[in-house]
């Protein structure tokens, strides 16, 4: 089979595949997702298999409207305010689940993660389907998320029935995950910040999650390319490190970009390109820790974390 045949813009075909329990890749504004019907246990099982993901990391339910979301989750006043302010958009709400939510979606947890993506193609699929899908990022577990149809093709190839091409993801890092129960806490930083949310709910939003909830990409090593990632705080430092590594005969790539929004859109492509070019060390200059810069720094930190079985440089 010619693998590029997988890539299509045919939304109706995508819906047909989903309805009969197939797996597709779907574009969103954050990253591409590996989607199937949330209600189909066999299809959801396959998503875990294809990703190589442990069941202890549950899936985000994607829906088309706040009304639909309320069938899956219990929204208190603040959750509703957040949903209305930021959906469709790059924010996932973690709320208590309703009895409709099957265990295979939440990994037996009593909460469910829900979002409405802000991407025309994803919204078309959800509206025609008139049902919820689950969609983890369409990469192998622990690896870098895909921000284009080609990235998905490289990672999952023929393991999905088709890849719906909606162009490059406009944001480029995964959604902000916000737990909203008696307290509001950010479990994974994204394009929408604690300050953005505080502005809406007029109460404190914590950025230091506590307690059990707290699976989301919270392992030390995640979003990891093959190359080692070294972090530093300035352009001058990055060049000094580069010089040392070059004298050791290592191939390096420097990521140093001041425009945070732009950096978010190219970050995962750069990490992937480094691997394609067999770069040994990626030297990345940390972003300012504000806005989407926090999400960038979070992903860089996880990409740079010591991986099991690897040596330090
Ligand atoms: O931007 C995004 O959120 C993308 C796009 C495709 O929508 N999706 C995404 O999904 O990043 P995923 O599965 O790669 O990351 C979701 C994270 C996982 O770490 C998962 O463990 C966590 O959310 N999660 C999902 N449901 C949860 C729950 N009920 N309790 C705690 N963590 C949960
Ligand atoms: Mg992911």
């Amino acid at each position: 089979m010619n693998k590029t045949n997988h890539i299509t813009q045919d939304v109706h075909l995508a819906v047909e595949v989903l309805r009969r329990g197939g797996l597709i890749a779907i574009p969103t504004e954050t990253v591409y997702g590996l989607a199937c019907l949330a209600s189909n246990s066999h299809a959801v099982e396959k998503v875990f298999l294809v990703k190589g993901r442990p069941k202890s990391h549950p899936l985000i339910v994607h829906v088309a409207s706040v009304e639909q979301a309320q069938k899956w989750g219990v929204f208190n006043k603040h959750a509703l305010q957040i949903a209305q302010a930021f959906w469709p958009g790059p924010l996932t709400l973690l709320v208590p689940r309703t009895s409709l939510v099957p265990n295979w979606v939440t990994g037996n947890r009593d909460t469910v993660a829900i979002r409405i993506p802000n991407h025309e193609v994803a919204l078309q699929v959800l509206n025609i389907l008139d049902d919820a899908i689950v969609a983890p990022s369409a990469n192998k577990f622990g690896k870098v998320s895909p921000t284009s149809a080609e990235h998905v093709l490289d990672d999952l190839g023929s393991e999905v029935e088709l890849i719906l091409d909606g162009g490059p993801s406009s944001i480029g890092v995964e959604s902000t995950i916000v737990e909203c129960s008696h307290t509001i806490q950010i479990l994974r930083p994204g394009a929408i910040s604690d300050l953005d949310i505080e502005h809406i709910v007029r109460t404190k939003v914590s950025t230091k999650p506590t307690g059990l909830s707290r699976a989301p990409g919270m392992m030390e090593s995640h979003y990891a390319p093959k190359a080692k990632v070294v972090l530093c705080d300035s352009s001058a430092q990055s060049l000094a490190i580069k010089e040392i590594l070059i004298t050791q005969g290592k191939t390096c790539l420097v990521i140093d970009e001041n425009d945070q929004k732009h950096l978010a859109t190219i970050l995962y492509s750069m990490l992937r390109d480094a691997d394609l070019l067999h770069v040994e060390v990626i030297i990345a200059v940390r972003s300012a820790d504000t806005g989407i810069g926090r999400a960038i720094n979070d992903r860089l930190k996880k990409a740079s974390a010591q991986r099991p079985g690897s040596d330090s440089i």
Side-chain angles (χ1 to χ4, degrees), residues 26 28-34 51 53 56-62 90-92 94-95 105-107 109-115 117 135-139 141 145 173-177 187-188 212-218 222-223:
I26 192 166
T28 85
E29 79 281 31
T30 56
V31 300
Y32 274 64
L34 172 60
K51 266 193 76 86
R53 174 169 175 158
S56 53
H57 287 247
L59 307 173
I60 300 177
V61 175
H62 293 61
L91 178 139
T92 296
L94 198 67
V95 291
V105 169
T106 64
R109 285 167 184 255
D110 52 10
T111 53
V112 63
I114 312 176
R115 91 174 184 106
S137 52
N139 52 282
F141 184 63
S145 296
V173 291
E174 303 79 356
S175 60
T176 309
I177 301 184
L187 303 185
R188 178 176 72 183
L212 267 184
S213 36
R214 336 304 176 210
M218 293 188 108
H222 212 76
Y223 313 104

